[in-house]
Amino acid sequence: MDGVGSFGAGRTGSTLDPISFAKQPQTVLRVLSWIFSLVVFASIVNEGYVNLGSERLHCVFHKNADACNYGVFVGLVGLLACSFFFLLDYKFSSISSVKDRKKAVMVEIGFSGFWTFLYFVSFCFLANQWSRTTPDELPLNQGADAARAAIAFSFFSIISWAGLTVRAVQKYLLGTDMTLFTTEHMDGGAPTQPYPSNSPGGGTADTTETYQSPPFTENNAAPTYQVPIY
């Protein structure tokens, strides 16, 4: 796996190709989760409340305001979380510390797994309340399409968030390639290179070698001039 660093990301400081990043399964699942959360949130906010001849708005899910509030909450937070983790995925290879990378992956596992569960609750809760809704509670079938869309995309969100959880677990199990990181990298510092050894076996060089004078020192000495005696 040439060029692969800790937790499935590239080496620290490596250049990230936007096209390759967009084609990654995790990126595709992230975008799908963002779209599904947007549909759940927008469907309930725009058409999830109806006016039954009064100024008071009622939730289309059996007039249960908790059902609409729960769907809005799960959709909105899921939408914001997808945006945050998308940026984290894009900047992940620039994180130099292995410990910080591990923390980021663990946060992603916990949140993705928890939001998968919340969307499962959302699907069951909304579907149950919708099955109890009578035609008298929705004159002219108002908000029916929005209610069905919120239920359907809550189910789709279970699949997409479960896929993100699996991808995050795989990234965590991939662990770290310790041959690419020194102790200083573990703490986020720059690595220090040891001095190369001069001995053939890689051991400690003998520093008590005898001193040798430079070559041609004696031969290049200036000749002595003798004054002639008359």
Side-chain angles (χ1 to χ4, degrees):
M1 297 179 66
D2 186 23
V4 177
S6 65
F7 296 99
R11 297 173 184 263
T12 303
S14 60
T15 303
L16 180 63
D17 184 12
I19 298 178
S20 300
F21 174 76
K23 294 181 179 180
Q24 293 179 1
Q26 183 171 343
T27 305
V28 176
L29 288 173
R30 192 82 67 195
V31 174
L32 290 177
S33 298
W34 189 90
I35 295 175
F36 296 161
S37 297
L38 178 62
V39 173
V40 173
F41 170 74
S43 297
I44 299 177
V45 170
N46 292 333
E47 301 181 22
Y49 297 90
V50 294
N51 189 342
L52 301 178
S54 63
E55 296 181 356
R56 184 178 180 183
L57 297 177
H58 298 277
C59 178
V60 295
F61 294 99
H62 195 48
K63 296 183 179 180
N64 189 345
D66 293 336
C68 288
N69 293 337
Y70 184 83
V72 170
F73 168 75
V74 174
L76 178 59
V77 177
L79 183 67
L80 297 176
C82 285
S83 302
F84 170 76
F85 284 111
F86 183 84
L87 294 177
L88 181 62
D89 292 338
Y90 190 79
K91 296 293 185 180
F92 192 76
S93 60
S94 63
I95 302 176
S96 60
S97 175
V98 177
K99 293 182 179 179
D100 292 341
R101 288 189 176 191
K102 183 178 180 180
K103 292 178 182 178
V105 174
M106 293 180 66
V107 169
E108 182 181 357
I109 293 175
F111 186 90
S112 298
F114 182 62
W115 228 248
T116 302
F117 172 75
L118 290 187
Y119 264 117
F120 175 77
V121 174
S122 174
F123 170 74
C124 296
F125 188 23
L126 297 181
N128 177 265
Q129 295 300 308
W130 178 247
S131 64
R132 296 182 179 183
T133 304
T134 61
D136 295 336
E137 295 175 347
L138 294 178
L140 302 178
N141 210 23
Q142 297 179 11
D145 293 338
R148 295 188 185 99
I151 296 173
F153 282 92
S154 292
F155 177 77
F156 297 152
S157 296
I158 298 173
I159 301 176
S160 62
W161 281 97
L164 289 173
T165 305
V166 172
R167 293 293 300 178
V169 171
Q170 291 176 347
K171 188 191 301 184
Y172 180 82
L173 294 178
L174 185 61
T176 173
D177 186 0
M178 298 305 297
T179 61
L180 302 177
F181 292 87
T182 61
T183 305
E184 289 78 7
H185 256 118
M186 295 286 289
D187 298 328
T192 56
Q193 297 293 339
Y195 289 103
S197 174
N198 294 328
S199 59
T204 303
D206 186 8
T207 58
T208 60
E209 296 179 357
T210 57
Y211 173 79
Q212 296 181 356
S213 60
F216 309 110
T217 301
E218 296 179 357
N219 296 333
N220 294 335
T224 304
Y225 180 77
Q226 297 180 358
V227 180
I229 302 174
Y230 297 96

